[in-house]
Amino acid sequence: MSLIDHLEKAYYKYRAFIPQRLLYHPQYFQVLELQAQRAQSPDGLMRQRQARLRALLATCVNDVPFYRNEVKLSASELVHEDPYALLERFPLLEKNTVMSRQAEFRNERYSLSRLHYATSGGSTGEGIGLWRNKRLADIERAFFAFEWGKFGFSFDKSQYLRIGADARAKANEPPTRVNGNRLMLSPYHVNVGHKTAILAALRRFKPAFIHAYPSVAADLADLLKGEDLGFEVRAVLLASEPATSSQLSAIARAFKCPISVNYGLTERTNIAFARYEGGEALRFQFDDLYGVNENRLINGRAEIVGTSLWNDVTPLVRYCTKDFGAIDAGGLCELIEGRSQEFLTDRFGGRIPGLSIVIDEVTWDFVRLYQVRQRKPGAISIAVVPRGDAMTEEQQKFVLDAQLKRWGSFFDVELELVNDIPLGKNGKRKLVQIDLTT
């Protein structure tokens, strides 16, 4: 174990006893205070947002090369004009622009030696890298701490199960390890072969909360189906990837507690939360203290556009997320359809959200996993992993006929039996895999 590993282990072991003021940047507490004042002082919160946006835009045109070259604003305009009107003078920003001109988006006032470069492979397969510092990480955490604190959750003091990339383990290592107040469960180990060890670890640790990717939380729910856990989970907290109705219903059945679903992205321009209350649609509430939320129309669909109010290290202004969902004046979004790369192309050239293609709930008795695949326009394959050794011809026909009934007018549909749908390097499993060749 390296020195860094030892320090990390010691940090998580003792952080519950360390005063929070020593753990987090002052702006962590500023966020919590502003959130607490939201209902009592909406006008004060509005002024705070305006001040933060004005300061961010001034930083961009003075200290960030890309904006300094692209946007011309005078000192007088930055001080006196409406910051939301000034925002509209900034160009819409695409991911490929950021990645092709990365150095131009870093604030020149920050020394590289004091920054951390965070990268993501992206749920779309198109990665991005940004510079960050501890202050920004603490600010990000404060928004989660406030929202999930409504369930009684605390990152520092709650006993919780963590399933994510930070919990990964090698194939020859145990599936779980205790790290302070967290039981770390490797997403690669959530399978029947490790069930006994996982269940024993859970019963010893008795987590009050589960913090995980939706896909792996659903895998765990499936693994523990019918088991008496011996403890109660107060809430399941999901982040880092889209959640489907089938995943959420499986998690709800297994743990019988509230479920919070987070929408966010590596670029940290928008954040929203939804609570699962049954049914298929999640109603997301976007946080206007975190960033400015906009929409732009693309082929009749409302793309989510965001500007962080806090990120002055690598500020992304009017960043086009490639996620789609109409956000109303109060920040409510009835449905986030998913990233543009997750849209399937039907036989007429139309685009259909891949996450809208789901299998019937009754099929979970004989199907363990599924994935929607598209290799050519107008055709899709439903890859399924049987729950047992195989699926009968009748079961295969049932799954295929159900999809043909729903989607046969849009796609040629075939069923593909596979042994597994492996997790990616980030510990996530893609529900939609698009590899168009024509």
Side-chain angles (χ1 to χ4, degrees), residues 226-400:
E227 294 287 348
D228 179 9
L229 298 180
F231 60 91
E232 291 186 2
V233 177
R234 295 176 60 181
V236 177
L237 315 171
L238 304 176
S240 297
E241 66 179 7
T244 67
S245 58
S246 59
Q247 290 170 344
L248 293 169
S249 62
I251 295 166
R253 285 195 304 270
F255 301 111
K256 300 176 177 60
C257 66
I259 300 173
S260 174
V261 184
N262 163 252
Y263 166 79
L265 56 164
T266 300
E267 295 88 332
R268 268 84 182 184
T269 54
N270 310 77
I271 197 171
F273 293 92
R275 293 196 186 187
Y276 176 69
E277 298 174 344
E280 294 189 2
L282 289 171
R283 301 171 77 244
F284 282 90
Q285 180 64 50
F286 278 75
D287 196 320
D288 57 4
L289 178 62
Y290 186 90
V292 179
N293 305 294
E294 300 180 77
N295 280 134
R296 72 161 174 174
L297 288 179
I298 298 180
N299 298 324
R301 297 184 182 274
E303 182 180 10
I304 297 168
V305 176
T307 302
S308 169
L309 292 175
W310 303 86
N311 182 6
D312 62 346
V313 178
T314 313
L316 301 182
V317 177
R318 307 193 77 195
Y319 180 77
C320 301
T321 65
K322 299 189 184 298
D323 290 330
F324 294 83
I327 304 171
D328 69 16
L332 187 66
C333 181
E334 295 288 345
L335 176 67
I336 297 178
E337 293 182 317
R339 296 187 180 268
S340 62
Q341 292 94 332
E342 292 170 348
F343 282 86
L344 305 166
T345 304
D346 66 21
R347 58 167 57 101
F348 310 108
R351 285 151 41 87
I352 293 176
L355 294 180
S356 65
I357 298 181
V358 298
I359 64 174
D360 298 86
E361 190 166 335
V362 295
T363 61
W364 291 115
D365 290 337
F366 49 85
V367 171
R368 187 170 67 85
L369 298 170
Y370 81 98
Q371 183 181 68
V372 180
R373 298 174 176 176
Q374 183 167 51
R375 300 181 182 94
K376 62 180 182 178
I380 59 173
S381 172
I382 312 298
V384 297
V385 179
R387 183 167 295 280
D389 294 333
M391 286 169 57
T392 66
E393 290 186 8
E394 183 180 5
Q395 290 169 339
Q396 293 178 48
K397 184 175 185 300
F398 178 86
V399 174
L400 183 58

Side-chain angles (χ1 to χ4, degrees), residues 46-96:
M46 181 182 68
R47 289 192 295 270
Q48 283 280 350
R49 290 199 303 268
Q50 289 178 333
R52 293 214 64 83
L53 179 58
R54 189 184 303 279
L56 178 85
L57 299 183
T59 293
C60 287
V61 298
N62 290 320
D63 305 318
V64 182
F66 176 83
Y67 301 110
R68 194 164 57 218
N69 295 329
E70 296 287 334
V71 184
K72 302 304 178 185
L73 294 175
S74 69
S76 177
E77 288 174 313
L78 287 167
V79 172
H80 299 295
E81 296 292 329
D82 176 6
Y84 292 98
L86 296 179
L87 179 65
E88 293 181 358
R89 293 171 61 177
F90 282 70
L92 292 167
L93 185 62
E94 302 281 355
K95 177 184 283 189
N96 58 4

